[in-house]
Coordinates of all heavy atoms in Angstrom, one line a residue:
M1 N 10.7 -64.5 12.7 CA 10.1 -63.5 11.8 C 9.0 -62.8 12.6 O 8.2 -63.4 13.3 CB 9.5 -64.1 10.5 CG 8.9 -63.1 9.6 SD 8.1 -63.7 8.1 CE 9.5 -64.3 7.2
D2 N 9.0 -61.4 12.5 CA 7.9 -60.7 13.1 C 7.1 -59.9 12.1 O 7.3 -60.0 10.9 CB 8.5 -59.8 14.2 CG 9.4 -58.7 13.6 OD1 9.5 -58.5 12.4 OD2 10.2 -58.1 14.5
E3 N 6.2 -59.1 12.5 CA 5.3 -58.3 11.6 C 6.1 -57.4 10.7 O 5.7 -57.2 9.5 CB 4.2 -57.6 12.4 CG 3.2 -58.4 13.1 CD 2.3 -59.1 12.1 OE1 2.0 -58.6 11.0 OE2 1.9 -60.3 12.3
T4 N 7.1 -56.8 11.2 CA 8.0 -55.9 10.4 C 8.7 -56.7 9.3 O 8.7 -56.2 8.2 CB 9.0 -55.2 11.3 OG1 8.4 -54.5 12.4 CG2 9.9 -54.3 10.5
D5 N 9.2 -57.9 9.6 CA 9.8 -58.7 8.6 C 8.8 -59.1 7.5 O 9.1 -59.1 6.3 CB 10.4 -60.0 9.2 CG 11.6 -59.7 10.1 OD1 12.3 -58.7 9.9 OD2 11.7 -60.5 11.1
L6 N 7.6 -59.5 8.0 CA 6.5 -59.8 7.0 C 6.2 -58.7 6.1 O 6.0 -58.8 4.9 CB 5.3 -60.3 7.8 CG 4.1 -60.7 6.9 CD1 4.4 -61.8 6.0 CD2 2.9 -61.0 7.8
A7 N 6.1 -57.5 6.7 CA 5.8 -56.3 5.9 C 6.9 -56.0 4.9 O 6.6 -55.6 3.7 CB 5.6 -55.1 6.8
L8 N 8.1 -56.2 5.3 CA 9.2 -55.9 4.3 C 9.2 -57.0 3.2 O 9.4 -56.6 2.0 CB 10.5 -56.0 5.1 CG 10.9 -54.8 6.0 CD1 12.1 -55.1 6.8 CD2 11.0 -53.5 5.2
L9 N 8.9 -58.2 3.5 CA 8.9 -59.2 2.5 C 7.7 -58.9 1.5 O 7.8 -59.1 0.3 CB 8.7 -60.6 3.1 CG 9.9 -61.1 3.8 CD1 9.5 -62.4 4.6 CD2 11.1 -61.3 2.9
R10 N 6.6 -58.5 2.0 CA 5.4 -58.1 1.2 C 5.8 -56.9 0.3 O 5.3 -56.9 -0.9 CB 4.2 -57.9 2.0 CG 3.6 -59.2 2.5 CD 2.4 -59.0 3.3 NE 1.8 -60.3 3.7 CZ 0.9 -60.5 4.6 NH1 0.4 -59.4 5.3 NH2 0.4 -61.6 4.8
E11 N 6.5 -56.0 0.8 CA 7.0 -54.8 0.0 C 7.9 -55.3 -1.2 O 7.7 -54.8 -2.3 CB 7.7 -53.8 0.8 CG 6.9 -53.0 1.7 CD 7.7 -52.0 2.5 OE1 8.8 -51.6 2.1 OE2 7.1 -51.5 3.6
E12 N 8.7 -56.3 -0.9 CA 9.6 -56.8 -2.0 C 8.7 -57.5 -3.0 O 8.9 -57.4 -4.2 CB 10.5 -57.9 -1.4 CG 11.7 -57.2 -0.6 CD 12.7 -58.3 -0.2 OE1 13.2 -59.1 -1.0 OE2 13.0 -58.3 1.0
I13 N 7.7 -58.3 -2.6 CA 6.8 -59.0 -3.5 C 6.0 -57.9 -4.3 O 5.9 -58.0 -5.6 CB 5.7 -59.8 -2.7 CG1 6.4 -61.1 -2.1 CG2 4.6 -60.2 -3.6 CD1 6.8 -62.1 -3.2
D14 N 5.6 -56.8 -3.7 CA 4.9 -55.8 -4.4 C 5.8 -55.1 -5.5 O 5.4 -54.9 -6.6 CB 4.4 -54.7 -3.5 CG 3.2 -55.1 -2.6 OD1 2.6 -56.2 -2.9 OD2 3.0 -54.4 -1.6
S15 N 7.1 -55.0 -5.2 CA 8.0 -54.4 -6.1 C 8.2 -55.4 -7.3 O 8.2 -54.9 -8.5 CB 9.3 -54.1 -5.4 OG 10.3 -53.7 -6.3
I16 N 8.4 -56.6 -7.0 CA 8.5 -57.6 -8.1 C 7.3 -57.7 -8.9 O 7.4 -57.7 -10.2 CB 8.8 -59.0 -7.4 CG1 10.2 -59.0 -6.8 CG2 8.7 -60.1 -8.5 CD1 10.5 -60.2 -5.9
D17 N 6.1 -57.6 -8.3 CA 4.9 -57.6 -9.1 C 4.8 -56.4 -10.1 O 4.4 -56.6 -11.2 CB 3.6 -57.5 -8.2 CG 3.4 -58.8 -7.4 OD1 4.0 -59.8 -7.8 OD2 2.6 -58.8 -6.5
M18 N 5.3 -55.3 -9.7 CA 5.3 -54.1 -10.5 C 6.3 -54.3 -11.7 O 6.1 -53.9 -12.8 CB 5.6 -52.8 -9.8 CG 4.5 -52.4 -8.8 SD 2.9 -52.1 -9.6 CE 2.1 -53.6 -9.3
E19 N 7.4 -54.9 -11.4 CA 8.4 -55.3 -12.4 C 7.8 -56.2 -13.5 O 8.0 -56.0 -14.7 CB 9.7 -55.9 -11.9 CG 10.5 -55.0 -11.1 CD 11.8 -55.7 -10.6 OE1 12.5 -56.3 -11.4 OE2 12.0 -55.5 -9.4
I20 N 7.0 -57.2 -13.0 CA 6.4 -58.1 -13.9 C 5.4 -57.4 -14.8 O 5.3 -57.6 -16.0 CB 5.7 -59.3 -13.1 CG1 6.7 -60.2 -12.4 CG2 4.8 -60.1 -14.0 CD1 6.2 -61.1 -11.4
V21 N 4.6 -56.5 -14.2 CA 3.6 -55.7 -15.0 C 4.3 -54.9 -16.0 O 3.9 -54.8 -17.2 CB 2.7 -54.9 -14.1 CG1 1.9 -53.9 -14.9 CG2 1.8 -55.7 -13.2
S22 N 5.4 -54.3 -15.6 CA 6.2 -53.5 -16.6 C 6.7 -54.3 -17.8 O 6.6 -53.9 -18.9 CB 7.3 -52.8 -15.9 OG 8.1 -52.0 -16.8
L23 N 7.2 -55.5 -17.4 CA 7.7 -56.4 -18.5 C 6.6 -56.8 -19.4 O 6.8 -57.0 -20.6 CB 8.4 -57.6 -17.9 CG 9.8 -57.2 -17.2 CD1 10.3 -58.4 -16.4 CD2 10.8 -56.8 -18.2
L24 N 5.4 -57.1 -18.8 CA 4.3 -57.5 -19.6 C 3.8 -56.4 -20.6 O 3.5 -56.7 -21.7 CB 3.1 -58.0 -18.7 CG 3.3 -59.3 -18.0 CD1 2.2 -59.5 -17.0 CD2 3.4 -60.5 -19.0
E25 N 3.9 -55.2 -20.1 CA 3.5 -54.0 -20.9 C 4.5 -53.9 -22.1 O 4.1 -53.7 -23.2 CB 3.6 -52.7 -20.1 CG 2.4 -52.5 -19.2 CD 1.2 -52.0 -20.0 OE1 1.4 -51.3 -20.9 OE2 0.1 -52.5 -19.6
S26 N 5.8 -54.1 -21.8 CA 6.8 -54.0 -22.9 C 6.6 -55.2 -23.9 O 6.7 -54.9 -25.1 CB 8.2 -54.2 -22.3 OG 8.5 -53.1 -21.4
R27 N 6.2 -56.3 -23.4 CA 6.0 -57.4 -24.3 C 4.8 -57.2 -25.2 O 4.7 -57.5 -26.4 CB 5.7 -58.7 -23.5 CG 5.7 -60.0 -24.3 CD 5.4 -61.2 -23.4 NE 5.8 -62.4 -24.0 CZ 5.2 -63.0 -25.0 NH1 4.1 -62.4 -25.6 NH2 5.6 -64.1 -25.5
L28 N 3.8 -56.5 -24.6 CA 2.5 -56.2 -25.4 C 2.8 -55.2 -26.5 O 2.3 -55.3 -27.6 CB 1.5 -55.7 -24.4 CG 0.0 -55.8 -24.9 CD1 -0.3 -57.3 -25.1 CD2 -0.9 -55.3 -23.9
V29 N 3.7 -54.2 -26.2 CA 4.1 -53.2 -27.2 C 4.8 -54.0 -28.4 O 4.5 -53.7 -29.5 CB 5.1 -52.2 -26.6 CG1 5.7 -51.3 -27.7 CG2 4.3 -51.3 -25.6
I30 N 5.7 -54.9 -28.1 CA 6.3 -55.7 -29.1 C 5.3 -56.5 -29.9 O 5.4 -56.6 -31.1 CB 7.5 -56.5 -28.5 CG1 8.6 -55.6 -28.0 CG2 8.1 -57.5 -29.6 CD1 9.6 -56.3 -27.1
S31 N 4.4 -57.1 -29.2 CA 3.3 -57.9 -29.8 C 2.5 -57.1 -30.8 O 2.1 -57.6 -31.9 CB 2.4 -58.5 -28.8 OG 3.1 -59.5 -28.1
T32 N 2.3 -55.8 -30.5 CA 1.6 -54.9 -31.4 C 2.4 -54.7 -32.7 O 1.8 -54.8 -33.8 CB 1.4 -53.5 -30.7 OG1 0.6 -53.7 -29.5 CG2 0.7 -52.6 -31.6
E33 N 3.7 -54.6 -32.6 CA 4.5 -54.4 -33.8 C 4.5 -55.7 -34.6 O 4.5 -55.7 -35.8 CB 5.9 -54.0 -33.4 CG 6.0 -52.7 -32.8 CD 5.5 -51.6 -33.7 OE1 5.8 -51.5 -34.9 OE2 4.6 -50.8 -33.2
I34 N 4.6 -56.9 -33.9 CA 4.5 -58.1 -34.6 C 3.2 -58.3 -35.3 O 3.2 -58.8 -36.5 CB 4.8 -59.3 -33.6 CG1 6.2 -59.3 -33.2 CG2 4.4 -60.7 -34.3 CD1 6.5 -60.3 -32.0
G35 N 2.1 -57.9 -34.7 CA 0.8 -57.9 -35.3 C 0.8 -57.1 -36.6 O 0.2 -57.5 -37.6
K36 N 1.4 -55.9 -36.5 CA 1.4 -55.0 -37.8 C 2.1 -55.7 -38.9 O 1.7 -55.7 -40.0 CB 2.1 -53.7 -37.4 CG 1.2 -52.8 -36.5 CD 2.0 -51.5 -36.2 CE 1.3 -50.7 -35.2 NZ 2.1 -49.5 -34.8
F37 N 3.3 -56.3 -38.5 CA 4.0 -57.1 -39.6 C 3.2 -58.2 -40.2 O 3.1 -58.3 -41.4 CB 5.3 -57.6 -39.0 CG 6.0 -58.5 -39.9 CD1 6.9 -58.0 -40.8 CD2 5.8 -59.9 -39.9 CE1 7.6 -58.9 -41.7 CE2 6.5 -60.8 -40.8 CZ 7.4 -60.2 -41.7
K38 N 2.6 -59.0 -39.3 CA 1.8 -60.1 -39.8 C 0.6 -59.6 -40.7 O 0.3 -60.2 -41.7 CB 1.2 -60.9 -38.6 CG 2.3 -61.7 -37.9 CD 1.7 -62.4 -36.7 CE 2.8 -63.3 -36.0 NZ 2.2 -64.0 -34.9
K39 N 0.0 -58.5 -40.3 CA -1.2 -58.0 -41.0 C -0.7 -57.5 -42.4 O -1.3 -57.8 -43.4 CB -1.8 -56.9 -40.3 CG -3.1 -56.4 -40.9 CD -3.8 -55.4 -40.0 CE -5.2 -55.1 -40.5 NZ -5.9 -54.2 -39.6
N40 N 0.4 -56.8 -42.4 CA 1.0 -56.2 -43.6 C 1.5 -57.3 -44.6 O 1.7 -57.0 -45.8 CB 2.1 -55.2 -43.4 CG 1.5 -53.9 -42.7 OD1 0.3 -53.6 -42.9 ND2 2.4 -53.2 -42.0
N41 N 1.8 -58.5 -44.1 CA 2.4 -59.5 -44.9 C 1.5 -60.7 -45.0 O 1.9 -61.8 -45.3 CB 3.8 -59.9 -44.3 CG 4.8 -58.8 -44.4 OD1 5.4 -58.7 -45.5 ND2 5.0 -58.1 -43.4
S42 N 0.2 -60.5 -44.7 CA -0.8 -61.5 -44.8 C -0.4 -62.8 -44.1 O -0.6 -63.9 -44.7 CB -1.1 -61.8 -46.3 OG -1.6 -60.6 -46.9
R43 N 0.1 -62.7 -42.9 CA 0.5 -63.9 -42.1 C -0.6 -64.2 -41.1 O -1.3 -63.3 -40.7 CB 1.8 -63.6 -41.4 CG 3.0 -63.2 -42.3 CD 3.9 -64.4 -42.7 NE 4.4 -65.1 -41.6 CZ 5.7 -64.9 -41.1 NH1 6.4 -63.9 -41.6 NH2 6.1 -65.6 -40.1
D44 N -0.8 -65.4 -40.8 CA -1.7 -65.8 -39.7 C -1.2 -65.2 -38.4 O 0.0 -65.2 -38.1 CB -1.8 -67.3 -39.6 CG -2.5 -68.0 -40.7 OD1 -3.3 -67.3 -41.4 OD2 -2.2 -69.2 -41.0
F45 N -2.1 -64.7 -37.6 CA -1.8 -64.2 -36.3 C -1.3 -65.3 -35.3 O -0.3 -65.1 -34.7 CB -2.9 -63.4 -35.7 CG -3.2 -62.1 -36.4 CD1 -4.3 -62.0 -37.2 CD2 -2.3 -61.0 -36.3 CE1 -4.5 -60.8 -37.9 CE2 -2.5 -59.8 -37.0 CZ -3.6 -59.7 -37.8
F46 N -2.0 -66.4 -35.3 CA -1.5 -67.5 -34.5 C -0.5 -68.3 -35.2 O -0.7 -68.8 -36.3 CB -2.7 -68.3 -34.0 CG -2.3 -69.5 -33.1 CD1 -1.9 -69.2 -31.8 CD2 -2.3 -70.8 -33.6 CE1 -1.5 -70.3 -31.0 CE2 -1.9 -71.8 -32.8 CZ -1.5 -71.6 -31.5
D47 N 0.6 -68.6 -34.5 CA 1.7 -69.4 -35.0 C 2.0 -70.5 -34.1 O 2.6 -70.4 -33.0 CB 3.0 -68.5 -35.1 CG 4.1 -69.2 -35.8 OD1 4.2 -70.4 -35.8 OD2 5.1 -68.4 -36.2
Q48 N 1.4 -71.7 -34.4 CA 1.5 -72.9 -33.6 C 3.0 -73.2 -33.3 O 3.3 -73.6 -32.2 CB 0.8 -74.0 -34.2 CG 0.8 -75.3 -33.3 CD -0.1 -75.1 -32.0 OE1 -1.2 -74.7 -32.1 NE2 0.5 -75.4 -30.9
K49 N 3.8 -73.1 -34.3 CA 5.2 -73.5 -34.2 C 5.9 -72.6 -33.1 O 6.6 -73.1 -32.3 CB 5.9 -73.3 -35.5 CG 7.4 -73.7 -35.5 CD 8.0 -73.7 -36.9 CE 9.5 -74.0 -36.8 NZ 10.2 -73.8 -38.1
R50 N 5.6 -71.3 -33.2 CA 6.2 -70.4 -32.2 C 5.6 -70.7 -30.8 O 6.4 -70.7 -29.8 CB 5.9 -68.9 -32.6 CG 6.3 -67.9 -31.6 CD 7.8 -67.8 -31.5 NE 8.2 -66.7 -30.6 CZ 9.2 -66.7 -29.8 NH1 10.1 -67.8 -29.8 NH2 9.5 -65.7 -29.0
H51 N 4.3 -70.9 -30.7 CA 3.7 -71.3 -29.4 C 4.4 -72.5 -28.8 O 4.8 -72.5 -27.6 CB 2.2 -71.5 -29.6 CG 1.5 -71.8 -28.3 ND1 1.5 -73.1 -27.8 CD2 0.8 -71.0 -27.5 CE1 0.8 -73.1 -26.7 NE2 0.4 -71.8 -26.5
D52 N 4.6 -73.6 -29.7 CA 5.3 -74.8 -29.2 C 6.7 -74.5 -28.8 O 7.2 -75.1 -27.8 CB 5.2 -75.8 -30.3 CG 3.8 -76.3 -30.6 OD1 2.9 -76.1 -29.8 OD2 3.6 -76.9 -31.7
Q53 N 7.4 -73.6 -29.5 CA 8.8 -73.3 -29.2 C 8.9 -72.7 -27.8 O 9.7 -73.0 -27.0 CB 9.4 -72.3 -30.2 CG 9.8 -72.9 -31.5 CD 10.2 -71.8 -32.5 OE1 9.9 -70.6 -32.3 NE2 10.9 -72.2 -33.5
I54 N 8.0 -71.8 -27.5 CA 7.9 -71.1 -26.2 C 7.7 -72.1 -25.1 O 8.3 -72.1 -24.0 CB 6.9 -70.0 -26.1 CG1 7.4 -68.8 -27.1 CG2 6.7 -69.4 -24.7 CD1 6.3 -67.8 -27.4
M55 N 6.7 -73.0 -25.3 CA 6.3 -74.0 -24.3 C 7.5 -75.0 -24.1 O 7.8 -75.4 -22.9 CB 5.1 -74.8 -24.7 CG 3.8 -74.0 -24.7 SD 3.5 -73.4 -23.0 CE 3.2 -71.6 -23.4
E56 N 8.2 -75.3 -25.1 CA 9.4 -76.2 -25.1 C 10.5 -75.5 -24.2 O 11.1 -76.1 -23.4 CB 9.9 -76.6 -26.5 CG 11.1 -77.4 -26.5 CD 10.9 -78.8 -25.9 OE1 9.7 -79.3 -25.8 OE2 11.9 -79.5 -25.6
K57 N 10.8 -74.2 -24.5 CA 11.8 -73.5 -23.7 C 11.4 -73.5 -22.3 O 12.3 -73.7 -21.4 CB 11.9 -72.1 -24.2 CG 12.6 -71.9 -25.5 CD 12.7 -70.5 -25.9 CE 13.3 -70.3 -27.3 NZ 13.4 -68.8 -27.7
L58 N 10.2 -73.3 -22.0 CA 9.8 -73.3 -20.5 C 10.0 -74.7 -19.9 O 10.4 -74.8 -18.8 CB 8.3 -72.9 -20.4 CG 8.0 -71.4 -20.8 CD1 6.5 -71.2 -20.8 CD2 8.7 -70.5 -19.8
S59 N 9.7 -75.7 -20.7 CA 9.8 -77.1 -20.1 C 11.3 -77.5 -19.8 O 11.6 -78.3 -19.0 CB 9.2 -78.1 -21.1 OG 10.0 -78.3 -22.2
L60 N 12.2 -76.8 -20.5 CA 13.6 -77.1 -20.3 C 14.3 -76.2 -19.2 O 15.4 -76.5 -18.9 CB 14.4 -76.9 -21.6 CG 13.9 -77.8 -22.8 CD1 14.6 -77.4 -24.1 CD2 14.2 -79.2 -22.4
L61 N 13.6 -75.2 -18.7 CA 14.2 -74.4 -17.7 C 14.4 -75.2 -16.4 O 13.7 -76.0 -16.0 CB 13.2 -73.2 -17.3 CG 13.0 -72.1 -18.4 CD1 12.0 -71.1 -17.9 CD2 14.3 -71.4 -18.6
K62 N 15.5 -74.8 -15.8 CA 15.9 -75.4 -14.5 C 15.5 -74.4 -13.4 O 16.2 -73.4 -13.2 CB 17.4 -75.7 -14.4 CG 17.9 -76.6 -15.4 CD 17.4 -78.0 -15.3 CE 18.0 -78.9 -16.3 NZ 17.2 -79.9 -16.8
T63 N 14.3 -74.5 -12.9 CA 13.7 -73.6 -12.0 C 12.9 -74.3 -10.9 O 12.5 -75.4 -11.1 CB 12.8 -72.6 -12.7 OG1 12.2 -71.6 -11.8 CG2 11.7 -73.3 -13.5
N64 N 12.8 -73.6 -9.8 CA 12.0 -74.1 -8.7 C 10.5 -73.9 -9.0 O 9.6 -74.5 -8.3 CB 12.3 -73.5 -7.3 CG 13.7 -73.9 -6.9 OD1 14.1 -75.0 -7.1 ND2 14.4 -73.0 -6.3
Y65 N 10.2 -73.0 -9.9 CA 8.8 -72.8 -10.2 C 8.3 -73.9 -11.1 O 8.9 -74.3 -12.0 CB 8.7 -71.5 -11.1 CG 7.4 -70.7 -10.9 CD1 7.3 -69.6 -10.0 CD2 6.3 -71.1 -11.6 CE1 6.1 -68.9 -9.9 CE2 5.1 -70.4 -11.5 CZ 5.0 -69.3 -10.6 OH 3.9 -68.7 -10.4
P66 N 7.1 -74.5 -10.7 CA 6.6 -75.6 -11.4 C 6.3 -75.3 -12.9 O 5.7 -74.3 -13.2 CB 5.2 -75.9 -10.7 CG 5.4 -75.3 -9.3 CD 6.3 -74.1 -9.5
V67 N 6.9 -76.2 -13.7 CA 6.9 -75.9 -15.2 C 5.4 -75.8 -15.7 O 5.1 -75.0 -16.5 CB 7.6 -77.1 -15.9 CG1 7.4 -77.0 -17.4 CG2 9.1 -77.0 -15.6
E68 N 4.5 -76.7 -15.1 CA 3.1 -76.7 -15.6 C 2.5 -75.3 -15.3 O 1.7 -74.8 -16.1 CB 2.3 -77.8 -14.9 CG 2.8 -79.2 -15.2 CD 4.0 -79.6 -14.3 OE1 4.3 -79.0 -13.3 OE2 4.7 -80.5 -14.7
D69 N 2.9 -74.7 -14.1 CA 2.3 -73.4 -13.8 C 2.9 -72.3 -14.6 O 2.2 -71.4 -15.0 CB 2.6 -73.1 -12.3 CG 1.8 -74.1 -11.4 OD1 0.9 -74.7 -11.8 OD2 2.2 -74.1 -10.2
L70 N 4.2 -72.4 -14.9 CA 4.8 -71.4 -15.9 C 4.1 -71.5 -17.2 O 3.8 -70.5 -17.8 CB 6.3 -71.7 -16.0 CG 7.2 -71.1 -15.0 CD1 8.6 -71.6 -15.3 CD2 7.1 -69.6 -15.0
Q71 N 3.9 -72.7 -17.7 CA 3.2 -72.9 -19.0 C 1.8 -72.3 -18.9 O 1.3 -71.7 -19.9 CB 3.2 -74.3 -19.4 CG 4.6 -74.8 -19.8 CD 4.7 -76.3 -20.1 OE1 4.0 -77.1 -19.5 NE2 5.6 -76.6 -21.0
A72 N 1.1 -72.5 -17.9 CA -0.2 -72.0 -17.7 C -0.2 -70.4 -17.8 O -1.0 -69.8 -18.4 CB -0.9 -72.4 -16.4
V73 N 0.7 -69.8 -17.0 CA 0.9 -68.4 -17.1 C 1.2 -67.9 -18.5 O 0.6 -66.9 -19.0 CB 2.0 -67.9 -16.1 CG1 2.4 -66.5 -16.3 CG2 1.6 -68.2 -14.6
F74 N 2.1 -68.6 -19.1 CA 2.5 -68.2 -20.5 C 1.4 -68.4 -21.5 O 1.2 -67.6 -22.5 CB 3.8 -68.8 -20.9 CG 5.0 -68.0 -20.6 CD1 5.5 -68.0 -19.3 CD2 5.5 -67.1 -21.5 CE1 6.6 -67.2 -19.0 CE2 6.6 -66.3 -21.2 CZ 7.1 -66.3 -19.9
N75 N 0.5 -69.4 -21.3 CA -0.6 -69.5 -22.2 C -1.5 -68.3 -22.1 O -2.0 -67.9 -23.1 CB -1.4 -70.8 -21.8 CG -0.8 -72.0 -22.5 OD1 -0.5 -72.0 -23.7 ND2 -0.8 -73.1 -21.8
I76 N -1.7 -67.7 -20.9 CA -2.5 -66.5 -20.8 C -1.8 -65.4 -21.4 O -2.4 -64.6 -22.1 CB -2.8 -66.3 -19.3 CG1 -3.7 -67.4 -18.7 CG2 -3.4 -64.9 -19.1 CD1 -3.8 -67.3 -17.2
I77 N -0.5 -65.2 -21.2 CA 0.3 -64.2 -21.8 C 0.2 -64.3 -23.3 O 0.0 -63.2 -24.0 CB 1.8 -64.2 -21.3 CG1 1.9 -63.9 -19.9 CG2 2.7 -63.3 -22.2 CD1 3.2 -64.1 -19.2
L78 N 0.4 -65.4 -23.9 CA 0.3 -65.6 -25.3 C -1.1 -65.3 -25.9 O -1.2 -64.7 -27.0 CB 0.8 -67.0 -25.7 CG 2.2 -67.3 -25.4 CD1 2.5 -68.8 -25.6 CD2 3.1 -66.5 -26.2
K79 N -2.1 -65.7 -25.1 CA -3.4 -65.4 -25.6 C -3.7 -63.9 -25.6 O -4.3 -63.4 -26.6 CB -4.4 -66.1 -24.6 CG -5.9 -65.8 -24.9 CD -6.8 -66.5 -23.9 CE -8.3 -66.2 -24.2 NZ -9.1 -66.9 -23.2
T80 N -3.2 -63.2 -24.6 CA -3.3 -61.7 -24.6 C -2.5 -61.1 -25.7 O -3.0 -60.2 -26.4 CB -2.8 -61.2 -23.2 OG1 -3.6 -61.8 -22.2 CG2 -2.9 -59.6 -23.2
S81 N -1.3 -61.6 -26.0 CA -0.5 -61.1 -27.1 C -1.2 -61.3 -28.4 O -1.2 -60.4 -29.3 CB 0.8 -61.8 -27.1 OG 1.6 -61.5 -26.0
L82 N -1.8 -62.5 -28.6 CA -2.5 -62.8 -29.8 C -3.7 -61.8 -30.0 O -3.9 -61.2 -31.1 CB -3.1 -64.2 -29.8 CG -3.8 -64.7 -31.1 CD1 -3.0 -64.6 -32.3 CD2 -4.3 -66.1 -30.9
K83 N -4.5 -61.5 -29.0 CA -5.6 -60.6 -29.1 C -5.0 -59.2 -29.4 O -5.7 -58.5 -30.2 CB -6.3 -60.5 -27.7 CG -7.2 -61.7 -27.5 CD -8.2 -61.4 -26.3 CE -7.5 -61.4 -25.0 NZ -8.4 -61.4 -23.9
Q84 N -3.9 -58.8 -28.9 CA -3.3 -57.5 -29.2 C -2.9 -57.5 -30.7 O -3.1 -56.5 -31.4 CB -2.1 -57.2 -28.3 CG -1.5 -55.9 -28.5 CD -2.4 -54.8 -28.1 OE1 -3.3 -54.9 -27.2 NE2 -2.2 -53.6 -28.7
Q85 N -2.3 -58.5 -31.2 CA -1.8 -58.6 -32.6 C -3.0 -58.5 -33.5 O -2.9 -57.9 -34.6 CB -1.1 -59.9 -32.9 CG 0.3 -59.9 -32.2 CD 1.0 -61.2 -32.5 OE1 0.6 -62.0 -33.4 NE2 1.9 -61.6 -31.7
E86 N -4.2 -59.0 -33.1 CA -5.3 -59.0 -34.0 C -6.1 -57.7 -34.1 O -6.9 -57.5 -34.9 CB -6.3 -60.1 -33.6 CG -5.7 -61.5 -33.8 CD -6.6 -62.6 -33.3 OE1 -7.4 -62.4 -32.3 OE2 -6.5 -63.8 -33.7
K87 N -5.7 -56.8 -33.2 CA -6.4 -55.4 -33.2 C -6.0 -54.6 -34.5 O -5.0 -54.7 -35.0 CB -6.0 -54.7 -32.0 CG -6.6 -55.2 -30.7 CD -6.3 -54.2 -29.6 CE -7.0 -54.6 -28.3 NZ -6.7 -53.8 -27.2

């Protein structure tokens, strides 16, 4: 591998990062709609059962990415979604 190869790999990482940001944006838009539903229907914004379901799905994934790290990332994503819903 040389500097050119490294630069190309970093460009690929940058592209993936932008895809991740775009998906997070889309998720936040949906979270906003969920928040409106919950507010209009006097529902609690935090749903422990849903949180647990997401964490369970992550724990069952067959991936090279460490499950504990995925769960940590998703805890931050869920926290941000909750803040968005409460607006």
Side-chain angles (χ1 to χ4, degrees):
M1 178 183 294
D2 61 17
E3 290 295 323
T4 302
D5 294 329
L6 179 60
L8 289 173
L9 291 172
R10 286 182 172 164
E11 283 180 24
E12 285 184 54
I13 290 287
D14 290 345
S15 177
I16 291 168
D17 289 347
M18 291 302 100
E19 287 180 53
I20 292 169
V21 170
S22 178
L23 290 170
L24 288 171
E25 283 284 323
S26 296
R27 192 182 197 290
L28 205 59
V29 168
I30 295 168
S31 290
T32 301
E33 293 305 310
I34 290 171
K36 289 177 187 176
F37 172 85
K38 288 177 177 179
K39 188 174 190 173
N40 291 336
N41 291 279
S42 301
R43 303 266 300 264
D44 290 336
F45 289 106
F46 180 71
D47 183 342
Q48 184 67 53
K49 183 177 176 183
R50 176 67 176 145
H51 183 275
D52 293 345
Q53 287 173 341
I54 292 168
M55 291 299 128
E56 177 67 17
K57 284 181 188 180
L58 292 172
S59 72
L60 298 174
L61 288 177
K62 303 294 184 211
T63 178
N64 290 324
Y65 209 98
V67 172
E68 299 82 18
D69 293 343
L70 275 177
Q71 288 174 328
V73 168
F74 270 83
N75 273 320
I76 294 168
I77 291 169
L78 294 172
K79 181 179 176 182
T80 301
S81 294
L82 181 60
K83 284 193 289 188
Q84 184 67 25
Q85 288 179 20
E86 292 174 337
K87 285 186 176 180

